[in-house]
Amino acid sequence: MKLKGSKQEQEFRKELEGSNLVLAKDGKAELIMNVLKDTFGELKSAYILNWTPEQGEDIYTILVDTDKIAKVEISRVNHSEVPLIETYNLKDFQKRLSKVFQIKLAVAIDLAKTEHQEG
């Protein structure tokens, strides 16, 4: 998807710039990063695309580097419970998305590519 610099893209960019888990310092971000590193090895960026607070857990949809998607489920009740992770191929994942979410994903990929060039 080609980015056009629309207002919506700019809003997503601002939101996503603050969601790179590689740069985050809080406990929840560290927990998610540990799960991602165990699954993917070293990574340069991990942007939270979506966060769904459920009754007993938080579910995060994350763009890992520029080409992988991870869904991480973390219990809010039992902190010793091992987080669950599902991984998706970017192309397969994109097919099921709404137009708006495809724009958000395209902005995140753009940010990740910029991150990888700098790093």
Side-chain angles (χ1 to χ4, degrees), residues 40-82:
F40 299 109
E42 206 50 47
L43 40 124
K44 291 188 169 118
S45 63
Y47 289 96
I48 297 174
L49 299 170
N50 194 32
W51 166 54
T52 308
E54 295 285 333
Q55 198 159 2
E57 64 273 345
D58 289 321
I59 301 170
Y60 297 89
T61 304
I62 303 162
L63 172 68
V64 178
D65 291 333
T66 58
D67 58 348
K68 296 176 276 299
I69 299 289
K71 263 200 173 148
V72 180
E73 189 175 309
I74 297 177
S75 175
R76 270 196 261 138
V77 183
N78 182 357
H79 296 292
S80 62
E81 196 175 298
V82 177

Side-chain angles (χ1 to χ4, degrees), residues 4-70:
K4 302 183 218 65
S6 69
K7 184 168 174 39
Q8 186 165 40
E9 287 172 22
Q10 291 169 16
E11 288 171 10
F12 283 147
R13 186 171 298 273
K14 194 184 292 184
E15 176 189 331
L16 287 162
E17 282 173 343
S19 78
N20 188 351
L21 291 167
V22 173
L23 305 175
K25 299 291 179 230
D26 63 59
K28 180 99 48 166
E30 281 184 33
L31 183 62
I32 296 169
M33 279 302 295
N34 289 338
V35 173
L36 294 175
K37 284 179 180 174
D38 287 348
T39 306
F40 299 109
E42 206 50 47
L43 40 124
K44 291 188 169 118
S45 63
Y47 289 96
I48 297 174
L49 299 170
N50 194 32
W51 166 54
T52 308
E54 295 285 333
Q55 198 159 2
E57 64 273 345
D58 289 321
I59 301 170
Y60 297 89
T61 304
I62 303 162
L63 172 68
V64 178
D65 291 333
T66 58
D67 58 348
K68 296 176 276 299
I69 299 289

